[in-house]
Amino acid sequence: MSLKDEYFAMMVSRFKRWDAELGMLGERGGQTSGAADAQLDEQLKALRATRNATYSRLQEIRTASESGWRSLQAAVDPAWASMRTALDQASSQAKLREKAAR
C-alpha cells in the first residue's frame, strides 16, 4: 500500500469517527432550550458544511498522482485540525448548555 493510500484510509477512518461524534452532538440538541437549540443547530450546519468541503478535498487525493497528492494533503491536514477543534468546542458548549438547563 502506498503512502497516499495509507493516508487516505486513515483520513476516511477519522471522518467516520468525526461523523459519529457529530451525530451524537446533534442528538443532544433536543435536550436544550429553544435559543440554545437553535444556536447548536447553526453550529452543526456550519460543521457539516466545513466537513463536506474538506471531505471533497480528501476525495481528490484518491485520484491524484503519487507525486501530486502531497499538495492536497497540505490543504486537508489544517482543515482537519480546524474541524476537530470546532467539533470539540461545539461539544463543550453543548455540555455547558445542558448543565445550565438542569
Side-chain angles (χ1 to χ4, degrees):
M1 184 180 276
S2 70
L3 286 177
K4 177 182 87 166
D5 293 337
E6 288 177 21
Y7 175 80
F8 183 81
M10 175 193 67
M11 291 306 293
V12 167
S13 176
R14 284 183 179 180
F15 270 90
K16 286 179 182 178
R17 286 192 308 266
W18 191 91
D19 288 342
E21 289 178 43
L22 184 66
M24 288 187 289
L25 184 59
E27 290 173 7
R28 282 187 179 158
Q31 301 173 7
T32 57
S33 67
D37 194 34
Q39 186 179 13
L40 180 60
D41 283 344
E42 287 302 313
Q43 283 180 307
L44 293 176
K45 285 179 189 176
L47 286 168
R48 285 185 186 106
T50 301
R51 179 251 185 246
N52 291 340
T54 304
Y55 195 77
S56 291
R57 294 300 300 250
L58 178 64
Q59 290 300 315
E60 292 175 29
I61 289 175
R62 176 185 273 173
T63 58
S65 67
E66 195 63 37
S67 61
W69 74 274
R70 292 280 185 185
S71 63
L72 293 168
Q73 180 187 14
V76 170
D77 285 345
W80 169 259
S82 177
M83 285 174 42
R84 181 76 253 165
T85 299
L87 182 61
D88 290 345
Q89 288 173 345
S91 182
S92 294
Q93 290 172 358
K95 287 177 186 176
L96 291 173
R97 286 185 203 119
E98 287 175 17
K99 286 182 182 179
R102 289 182 193 164

